[in-house]
């Protein structure tokens, strides 16, 4: 039914308009007393074999929603009710910013992919902190923070620290995003000589701002060379980080089948074309760090088999986003049910035991 609706209606509306309409609908769900809890009872993962203990938290399943959808922490409760085991909000920046000019979000339907050059459009970390301050228990919420565009690269650490101080008290875990291709100079911060002082400053800020130790992860790009992936992994271990999220969107465009005018749009590509590289980076990280870090795999995740493959390759948690765009509002619920069936047909008692 959703595929028919998508082809006849949704695909004819601009992607960003659909995004905002979806957020409005989710906020409406949250506004109706008792509706989100009712949906949670029906759609949220309930199979205890899917439960994952990681980052000091009890996740109901490994599958969560990647950052980029709920940028301002306005719909995480409803998203959790629709079947995601966790929701990562953001990317949130130190200052409010409008992002890049429209159009800035493009569907590549033939490739089951999306190109975005949103540019961290969000209301800023103060606004996000205000929304998270009184959040109700039920959905695990990660907070993804990035650099404000107008802040010079030399002042990036202070910008990240400002967001950390505001958001760490309300985050179940924090993610430092240095891998979006849509903020000029941001990916330069992935170089170890820049990343080390930045992550150390964020770790210190989180420790002094929150009443408990907040897990800290870094999100990296799929376009890093293998040696640079190794260097970030070694740095994460050296600094005592809790995990790595691999990977963000890519600037690579090879092998796409969609209209050439679309594929030439600048921005980060997500969805099915990212699957192979994302999986390669995950396996490389697993070989490098073993079980000393929590590895969160994202990029090209569409089915329960995709989640299973990431878990078997060493991922503790898995995230999706573009899969939901093409799969509809019940996508996470269907994937959770499929993962449960996949697990029952395996030799493993639970999803944690299946991890390599």
């Amino acid at each position: 039914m959703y595929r028919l609706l998508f082809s006849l209606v949704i695909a004819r509306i601009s992607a960003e308009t659909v995004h905002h309409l979806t957020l409005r609908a989710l906020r409406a769900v949250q506004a109706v007393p008792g509706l989100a809890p009712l949906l949670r009872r029906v759609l949220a993962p309930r199979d205890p074999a899917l439960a994952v203990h990681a980052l000091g938290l009890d996740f109901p399943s490994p599958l969560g929603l990647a950052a980029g959808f709920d940028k301002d922490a306005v719909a995480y409760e409803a998203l959790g009710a629709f079947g995601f085991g966790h929701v990562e909000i953001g990317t949130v920046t130190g200052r409010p910013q409008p992002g890049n000019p429209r159009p800035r979000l493009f569907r590549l339907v033939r490739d089951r992919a999306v190109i975005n050059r949103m540019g961290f459009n969000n209301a800023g970390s103060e606004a996000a902190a205000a929304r998270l301050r009184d959040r109700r228990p039920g959905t695990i919420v990660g907070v993804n923070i990035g650099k404000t565009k107008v802040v010079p690269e030399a002042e990036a650490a202070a910008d990240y620290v400002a967001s950390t101080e505001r958001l760490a008290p309300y985050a179940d875990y924090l993610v430092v995003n240095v891998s979006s291709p849509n903020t000029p100079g941001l990916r330069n911060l992935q170089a170890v000589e820049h990343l080390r002082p930045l992550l150390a400053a964020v770790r210190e800020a989180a420790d002094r701002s929150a009443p408990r130790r907040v897990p800290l992860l870094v999100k990296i790009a799929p376009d890093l060379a293998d040696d640079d992936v190794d260097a970030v992994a070694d740095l994460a271990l050296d600094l005592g980080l809790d995990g790595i999220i691999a990977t963000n969107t890519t600037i690579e465009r090879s092998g796409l089948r969609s209209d050439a005018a679309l594929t030439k749009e600048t921005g980060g590509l997500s969805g099915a074309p990212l699957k192979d590289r994302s999986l390669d980076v995950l396996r490389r990280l697993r070989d490098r760090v073993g079980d000393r870090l929590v590895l969160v795999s994202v990029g090209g995740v569409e089915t329960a088999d995709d989640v299973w493959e990431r878990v078997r390759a060493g991922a503790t948690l898995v995230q999706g986003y573009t899969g939901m765009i093409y799969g509809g509002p019940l996508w996470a619920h269907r994937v959770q049910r499929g993962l449960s069936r996949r697990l029952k047909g395996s030799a493993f008692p639970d999803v944690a035991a299946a991890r390599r």
Side-chain angles (χ1 to χ4, degrees):
M1 179 65 74
Y2 178 79
R3 288 182 180 179
L4 182 62
L5 179 64
F6 183 91
S7 62
L8 294 179
V9 180
I10 296 175
R12 301 174 187 272
I13 306 172
S14 79
E16 187 164 356
T17 297
V18 172
H19 178 83
H20 289 302
L21 290 173
T22 303
L23 283 175
R24 285 185 186 180
L26 291 168
R27 295 181 74 173
V29 166
Q30 294 178 166
V32 177
L35 182 54
L38 176 61
L39 288 171
R40 183 181 296 277
R41 285 197 292 272
V42 176
L43 300 175
R46 296 189 301 274
D47 185 349
L50 295 183
V52 174
H53 183 77
L55 304 174
L57 303 165
D58 292 314
F59 294 80
S61 86
L63 178 65
L65 180 64
F69 185 85
D70 188 5
K71 294 177 181 293
D72 288 310
V74 298
Y76 57 85
E77 183 181 359
L79 288 162
F82 273 95
F84 288 101
H86 66 280
V87 175
E88 191 169 305
I89 67 105
T91 295
V92 180
T93 54
R95 307 178 197 175
Q97 59 184 26
N100 293 322
R102 298 188 188 190
R104 53 191 180 179
L105 187 62
F106 310 89
R107 304 185 197 94
L108 281 63
V109 178
R110 292 186 64 191
D111 295 291
R112 303 189 313 282
V114 168
I115 291 174
N116 95 82
R117 53 169 179 264
M118 303 298 289
F120 290 169
N121 56 308
N122 74 108
S125 54
E126 284 190 12
R131 293 192 181 96
L132 292 172
R133 188 171 292 120
D134 299 319
R135 73 181 179 97
R136 291 174 287 189
T139 301
I140 292 176
V141 178
V143 176
N144 184 302
I145 58 175
K147 185 182 81 69
T148 306
K149 184 176 181 178
V150 299
V151 170
E153 188 176 318
E155 300 172 18
D159 192 55
Y160 279 92
V161 164
S163 293
T164 301
E165 290 173 340
R166 294 164 184 156
L167 290 163
Y170 316 114
D172 288 317
Y173 67 87
L174 274 173
V175 181
V176 172
N177 184 352
V178 287
S179 50
S180 170
N182 300 317
T183 296
L186 184 72
R187 287 190 169 193
N188 296 339
L189 298 176
Q190 292 178 111
V192 169
E193 63 269 22
H194 301 305
L195 191 57
R196 179 182 291 276
L198 171 60
L199 292 174
V202 170
R203 177 72 272 168
E204 182 182 351
D207 289 343
R208 68 171 178 265
S209 304
R212 84 278 183 230
R213 186 184 185 280
V214 180
L216 180 62
L217 301 88
V218 62
K219 187 169 186 175
I220 63 173
D223 307 311
L224 282 178
D226 288 344
D227 287 347
D228 292 326
V229 172
D230 293 344
V232 172
D234 294 345
L235 176 63
L237 290 171
D238 187 43
L239 292 177
L241 298 192
D242 298 275
I244 298 174
I245 299 183
T247 59
N248 211 320
T249 58
T250 181
I251 57 174
E252 176 61 44
R253 295 290 189 270
S254 61
L256 298 179
R257 300 179 300 156
S258 296
D259 182 84
L262 276 177
T263 62
K264 290 178 181 177
E265 293 287 353
T266 59
L269 176 75
S270 64
L274 190 53
K275 178 179 177 178
D276 290 346
R277 178 55 182 167
S278 176
L279 190 56
D280 286 345
V281 173
L282 168 65
R283 287 172 172 151
R284 189 172 190 91
L285 287 169
R286 182 65 175 180
D287 289 342
R288 193 76 176 185
V289 306
D291 59 1
R292 291 175 289 175
L293 294 175
V294 169
L295 300 179
V296 184
S297 185
V298 55
V301 174
E302 299 181 281
T303 67
D305 285 343
D306 290 335
V307 177
W308 180 256
E309 185 176 34
R310 304 303 171 97
V311 170
R312 295 290 292 132
T316 302
L317 300 170
V318 180
Q319 294 178 341
Y321 178 175
T322 307
M324 180 180 66
I325 292 176
Y326 291 103
L330 299 181
W331 175 76
H333 174 66
R334 290 197 304 272
V335 172
Q336 304 283 18
R337 288 197 308 172
L339 184 59
S340 184
R341 289 193 298 268
R342 187 73 175 78
L343 184 60
K344 288 174 182 176
S346 75
F348 303 101
D350 53 49
V351 73
R355 188 167 68 252
R356 179 171 77 93

